[in-house]
Amino acid sequence: MPIFNFFSTVQIVQKSYTLTANSGDNTCRLQRYDLQMLEGWYKHQMDIRENKSAPRSNLVVILQDLESFAPDVLQNFITICSEYRLRIPIVFIIGIATSTEILHQSLSKSTLGLLRIEKFWLQQSEAWFNRVIETVFIDTPHTIKFGARPYKFMLDHFYLYDFSIGAVKSSLKYALMHCFYGSSLSIFLPLLGRSRPDTLKKLQEMRKRKLITQDHINTLRMQASFKTYIESICDTEPSKALRLVTDDDFFTTAAMADFLCGIETYRQKFKFGLDLIQVLQGQFSAFSTLRKSKRMLLLQSLETRDGLVGGDSTHSEVTRWLVSLVRKVEPDALESLLDALEGLMESNPDYKQRCMTVVDGESRYKISMWKERLAKRLEGMSLPDMEEKRSTETSKKVHAEAIAHMKRKGTEVSKLAMEISDWIHYIFYECLQSYTQVPMHELVYYVQSKLHEKSFSAQPRASVQTALTNSKHYLDCQCCQGGQDQLLPSEPDSCILYKLYLECGRMINLYDWFVAFGCIIEREKSPADNPLNENEVQARFIRSVAELQFLGFIKPTQRKTDHVMRLTWSNI
């Protein structure tokens, strides 16, 4: 419980700080849960801080789950803390899962009078989860990224099980541990996000200090993306391909610097493409049913081989839908769309540096030019009065010319919309490619899903069968050292009965099962004054049968009253 964790913290404080008596050098012998220890530590921390004139910092005590506390203990704890409020500015953060009424039901009126209660609400776990996804997998260049299967597993585990951010954090920590401890190529991860000269200098130092060994070089050349890259340049740049395969110094310095910078460039482009999708989806709010969040767009990009622009596949539906809507946009909405695009280009300085090459270095100029052209085209777009007040030939000619002018202006606006949609389609094609097309993407993308799923997925059947067939795996006793196929009388009754169960067919005769069970139990060493009798064997047999039925291995049947039906066949 959090209170005991709080007292454990006080015990740690006691080891690092010694509270002395006012008179003499004798040390005060206080209990580890005495708040005088906390008071002395707090004063010591305030004395050693650099800014003496700053106000005192609050000491925050977090009670994560109010419903799990005993009301008496909580009331006494708050009362004791209130006695120290002038010496220690204590602030409580109390987590309530139901409603604030539980606070008034758990605490007395006198205890509530000691608190100054202020309510606040945390964001929902889904909002936190989206922030974690965007920060770790889209915005941050220095961390590993998940492949399709680990990423989908994390999404499914979050939305289908517990909505737990703690489980997501544990999943990310496990992936980092597995990457850095299980892969020798993890030494290149800290180099991500740097400029090419800085990356090249660091690689040269690592090569000089022999941190990059021949095993690293061989492992890098064995990556599938590197083989694909070599095959793609064999016809166009054969000398470079040969040098990458034969020259270790060039490969580990200049070439690896290009590969690492290429991975970062891809991340920046992909982030720009996702932000562009979000801006366009915000412009067409009437089609909210087709909108997708960044986490789902990322999942679609990871699952398909061509990213979000993969030919005629369903994964490119979002981009094709947005491009088609831009082509059909009205002139009034086209102006707001250009303003949104200009705001996107101004929002992130990285887009100006890295993504200008994606838009031919003229994106800002193009957007400004499109806005000027749109403003000119919208002039005189008002529809002339269709009512003919005069029927003279001159008036009819003026009226016809006005209609032709309106149609011509509308056609030019449509051409402008087509030009903008083509530009957006070009950005989508350049930015939203699959990560598998990036050389050396294996350095960043974590795809070891089997071990990850095994570590975070519950496997109750495997655990139960392991416990029943190999009890020493969990009990760690010296009397059950036999193999899984041996029947030892020292094992638990359920284990003995389950091993006999594995030798039976679809229908199990209870009497034969009981006789076989009794033969094993009789070999058990019993004290001379308390020998094993038939009633005890029968009682232990009935209890073990009930346990196996509860675990789902057998069930009663109406075909034969003295039989049970076997429900499982494979042995994991």
Side-chain angles (χ1 to χ4, degrees):
M1 295 175 63
I3 284 183
F4 298 119
N5 293 337
F6 171 73
F7 287 142
S8 299
T9 306
V10 175
Q11 185 180 18
I12 297 174
V13 169
Q14 187 179 16
K15 296 180 180 179
S16 58
Y17 171 77
T18 302
L19 181 63
T20 58
N22 294 329
S23 59
D25 296 333
N26 296 327
T27 302
C28 293
R29 297 184 178 274
L30 300 175
Q31 298 293 336
R32 65 180 182 87
Y33 50 79
D34 198 311
L35 286 186
Q36 292 186 44
M37 292 295 304
L38 184 63
E39 178 189 356
W41 173 83
Y42 178 79
K43 292 181 178 179
H44 178 68
Q45 295 297 322
M46 294 298 101
D47 292 339
I48 64 174
R49 61 180 180 174
E50 297 180 358
N51 190 2
K52 302 289 185 179
S53 61
R56 295 189 305 170
S57 302
N58 293 328
L59 181 63
V60 181
V61 179
I62 300 176
L63 308 178
Q64 187 173 359
D65 188 5
L66 177 69
E67 290 83 350
S68 64
F69 291 103
D72 296 338
V73 176
L74 189 59
Q75 290 179 20
N76 294 334
F77 179 66
I78 294 176
T79 304
I80 294 172
C81 291
S82 67
E83 298 295 332
Y84 288 83
R85 65 183 183 275
L86 298 178
R87 290 165 285 178
I88 309 176
I90 297 179
V91 177
F92 290 102
I93 297 180
I94 303 175
I96 300 176
T98 53
S99 65
T100 54
E101 296 297 331
I102 191 66
L103 188 63
H104 296 274
Q105 296 175 6
S106 302
L107 302 178
S108 62
K109 186 176 180 180
S110 59
T111 306
L112 289 174
L114 301 175
L115 300 175
R116 188 180 65 183
I117 301 175
E118 296 181 5
K119 294 190 297 185
F120 65 95
W121 288 266
L122 296 177
Q123 285 186 337
Q124 295 183 353
S125 57
E126 184 177 5
W128 283 101
F129 183 64
N130 290 333
R131 289 178 58 185
V132 170
I133 293 296
E134 293 182 18
T135 303
V136 175
F137 297 129
I138 299 176
D139 298 338
T140 306
H142 308 290
T143 59
I144 63 173
K145 318 297 180 185
F146 275 7
R149 286 192 60 181
Y151 182 72
K152 189 175 186 304
F153 171 77
M154 185 176 65
L155 290 182
D156 293 343
H157 199 273
F158 178 80
Y159 283 103
L160 301 180
Y161 287 90
D162 51 8
F163 282 87
S164 173
I165 295 296
V168 174
K169 181 178 67 174
S170 300
S171 180
L172 293 174
K173 285 183 177 180
Y174 183 85
L176 286 171
M177 179 192 68
H178 188 209
C179 176
F180 281 97
Y181 281 89
S183 175
S184 59
L185 301 182
S186 59
I187 61 174
F188 297 100
L189 279 177
L191 303 180
L192 292 172
R194 302 188 180 190
S195 62
R196 191 186 183 284
D198 190 14
T199 304
L200 180 60
K201 180 180 179 181
K202 189 64 178 178
L203 287 171
Q204 290 174 347
E205 294 178 359
M206 295 172 64
R207 180 64 175 169
K208 184 178 180 180
R209 297 168 56 187
K210 297 182 179 180
L211 296 178
I212 302 178
T213 63
Q214 190 63 37
D215 292 336
H216 291 105
I217 298 173
N218 295 337
T219 306
L220 287 171
R221 285 174 176 159
M222 291 171 61
Q223 303 302 317
S225 61
F226 178 72
K227 297 179 182 179
T228 304
Y229 177 73
I230 292 296
E231 292 174 356
S232 64
I233 65 173
C234 277
D235 298 333
T236 57
E237 300 177 87
S239 58
K240 181 179 179 180
L242 180 62
R243 191 177 182 186
L244 286 172
V245 176
T246 58
D247 192 346
D248 293 345
D249 292 332
F250 171 75
F251 174 68
T252 55
T253 54
M256 282 302 300
D258 293 337
F259 291 148
L260 293 173
C261 292
I263 294 174
E264 173 60 14
T265 301
Y266 167 78
R267 187 196 66 82
Q268 290 281 353
K269 291 181 178 180
F270 189 81
K271 183 177 183 295
F272 178 51
L274 290 184
D275 289 341
L276 180 58
I277 290 179
Q278 295 291 313
V279 169
L280 294 178
Q281 289 183 151
Q283 295 297 310
F284 305 105
S285 57
F287 299 89
S288 58
T289 56
L290 300 177
R291 298 182 65 178
K292 291 185 179 297
S293 60
K294 282 188 178 183
R295 69 171 187 274
M296 298 308 299
L297 292 173
L298 178 59
L299 177 62
Q300 290 182 354
S301 176
L302 294 174
E303 287 183 334
T304 182
R305 202 161 136 198
D306 299 324
L308 291 174
V309 290
D312 296 330
S313 65
T314 57
H315 297 291
S316 59
E317 180 182 358
V318 177
T319 56
R320 288 189 281 111
W321 162 65
L322 290 174
V323 170
S324 64
L325 288 179
V326 173
R327 291 177 180 175
K328 302 174 184 177
V329 72
E330 296 293 333
D332 296 337
L334 192 61
E335 185 176 3
S336 63
L337 175 62
L338 290 175
D339 292 338
L341 292 176
E342 188 175 25
L344 174 64
M345 297 302 298
E346 297 290 342
S347 63
N348 195 330
D350 293 336
Y351 295 159
K352 302 177 184 179
Q353 299 175 2
R354 296 184 180 272
C355 298
M356 283 297 180
T357 56
V358 177
V359 294
D360 299 331
E362 301 177 355
S363 59
R364 294 181 63 194
Y365 170 76
K366 282 187 176 182
I367 294 176
S368 302
M369 179 185 64
W370 287 332
K371 294 181 70 174
E372 293 176 1
R373 288 172 54 188
L374 180 63
K376 292 179 181 179
R377 298 300 183 268
L378 292 178
E379 293 177 359
M381 281 288 292
S382 59
L383 193 66
D385 189 5
M386 301 300 297
E387 182 182 358
E388 296 185 13
K389 296 182 179 180
R390 293 183 299 175
S391 58
T392 60
E393 294 295 330
T394 304
S395 63
K396 291 180 179 179
K397 184 177 180 181
V398 171
H399 183 72
E401 291 178 353
I403 294 177
H405 176 73
M406 182 269 298
K407 292 182 179 180
R408 185 172 63 255
K409 295 292 184 181
T411 303
E412 292 176 356
V413 172
S414 299
K415 291 180 180 179
L416 183 61
M418 291 290 293
E419 186 176 346
I420 296 174
S421 66
D422 293 339
W423 176 77
I424 292 175
H425 181 268
Y426 173 74
I427 291 181
F428 283 160
Y429 183 80
E430 288 293 327
C431 295
L432 300 178
Q433 298 289 339
S434 174
Y435 74 94
T436 56
Q437 301 180 12
V438 181
M440 293 297 175
H441 66 267
E442 293 88 352
L443 300 178
V444 180
Y445 285 87
Y446 175 79
V447 295
Q448 302 295 331
S449 61
K450 291 184 179 180
L451 185 60
H452 195 263
E453 293 173 2
K454 182 179 179 181
S455 302
F456 289 91
S457 295
Q459 298 176 334
R461 183 180 177 185
S463 301
V464 169
Q465 289 184 336
T466 301
L468 292 174
T469 57
N470 189 14
S471 58
K472 67 184 178 80
H473 180 76
Y474 291 101
L475 298 179
D476 194 22
C477 59
Q478 299 298 326
C479 58
C480 302
Q481 296 298 327
Q484 296 184 8
D485 299 332
Q486 297 182 13
L487 289 170
L488 300 176
S490 60
E491 289 185 317
D493 296 341
S494 300
C495 299
I496 298 174
L497 200 63
Y498 179 74
K499 291 182 178 180
L500 295 173
Y501 162 89
L502 297 177
E503 301 175 359
C504 300
R506 183 169 178 267
M507 303 295 292
I508 304 176
N509 189 308
L510 286 174
Y511 181 76
D512 295 340
W513 205 11
F514 169 69
V515 172
F517 177 76
C519 293
I520 303 299
I521 295 299
E522 289 176 355
R523 299 187 321 206
E524 183 181 16
K525 294 182 180 180
S526 302
D529 56 345
N530 188 17
L532 186 66
N533 56 47
E534 185 177 354
N535 292 334
E536 182 179 352
V537 175
Q538 185 177 0
R540 292 167 63 178
F541 174 77
I542 293 173
R543 183 181 63 182
S544 301
V545 170
E547 291 177 355
L548 292 183
Q549 182 178 351
F550 176 76
L551 292 173
F553 291 101
I554 59 175
K555 74 173 183 177
T557 176
Q558 298 296 329
R559 295 183 181 181
K560 297 181 180 181
T561 57
D562 58 343
H563 285 67
V564 291
M565 182 179 295
R566 180 175 177 177
L567 299 179
T568 62
W569 296 95
S570 61
N571 185 18
I572 299 177

